[in-house]
Amino acid sequence: IVIDEAHNLCSPEHGGPLFVAVRERLTQIAAEGRKFGLWLLLSTQRPSKIASGILSQCDNVAVMRMSSPADLAELATRFGYAPSSMLARSTGFRQGEAFFAGGFVPAPTLATMRTRLTKEGGADVRVPLRDGEHPPRAVEDQAPGRRGALVDRRDNPLGHWSTLVSAEVMNA
């Protein structure tokens, strides 16, 4: 399960019943999900805004450029295996530089990503601009290595667009 901008769903500051229920399920997935084959990846620029019960279950950390002293202090406190001196270097990271620590690397590691080898895939999907205009009935997804099509589901009572992906991609 991948959650981008995780501080919006995992914050202890949100007290509404829906936020509490989501936070409780995410805490359970973070703590027990691995035995059911569920893995949780949280992406945020504000780790200090993630509920401690969720963040404490994270075994790995990947840090790109961070400038907030509060967030860097939170990472150093929560992830004792991530040396604070290496975390502090993240304030000067350029694009493509990152720090990794935890079980997925043998030792805390500073890394620089190399230049991309493949073409950027995908394309924009045309959407209705005015009442009565519709995108084409089917638009092929041209992303390399992916098979599927965006299909206008006008037979769907809700009229939603759906993505159809072949079994080969889902099992890859």
Side-chain angles (χ1 to χ4, degrees):
I1 299 172
V2 178
I3 301 174
D4 193 16
E5 301 295 346
H7 55 274
N8 291 324
L9 292 177
C10 304
S11 174
E13 297 171 3
H14 299 303
L18 182 58
F19 281 107
V20 170
V22 168
R23 189 172 52 246
E24 287 174 356
R25 290 300 70 78
L26 289 173
T27 302
Q28 183 179 21
I29 290 168
E32 304 172 15
R34 289 178 292 272
K35 67 183 170 188
F36 299 110
L38 293 175
W39 300 90
L40 184 61
L41 187 149
L42 303 175
S43 173
T44 183
Q45 295 175 354
R46 301 302 316 267
S48 62
K49 301 284 185 184
I50 303 289
S52 61
I54 297 172
L55 197 59
S56 67
Q57 295 297 317
C58 295
D59 296 330
N60 298 294
V61 63
V63 179
M64 297 174 110
R65 182 180 172 88
M66 294 200 59
S67 57
S68 167
D71 289 318
L72 287 168
E74 180 73 18
L75 289 175
T77 300
R78 296 278 178 202
F79 301 103
Y81 51 84
S84 55
S85 61
M86 291 179 94
L87 284 169
R89 292 178 67 179
S90 70
T91 60
F93 283 174
R94 294 171 298 184
Q95 185 175 359
E97 295 179 331
F99 166 70
F100 299 97
F104 66 168
V105 290
T109 305
L110 292 172
T112 300
M113 309 309 152
R114 66 179 177 189
T115 305
R116 184 184 181 110
L117 296 176
T118 59
K119 283 186 175 181
E120 179 69 35
D124 290 337
V125 177
R126 294 181 359 124
V127 295
L129 300 175
R130 290 175 260 193
D131 289 342
E133 281 188 354
H134 294 282
R137 291 227 23 107
V139 179
E140 285 296 320
D141 181 353
Q142 298 298 320
R146 290 179 42 179
R147 295 180 183 93
L150 291 176
V151 179
D152 183 356
R153 303 292 292 179
R154 291 190 183 144
D155 55 324
N156 178 341
L158 299 176
H160 291 153
W161 284 73
S162 300
T163 302
L164 305 177
V165 181
S166 68
E168 295 96 31
V169 174
M170 294 176 70
N171 293 329

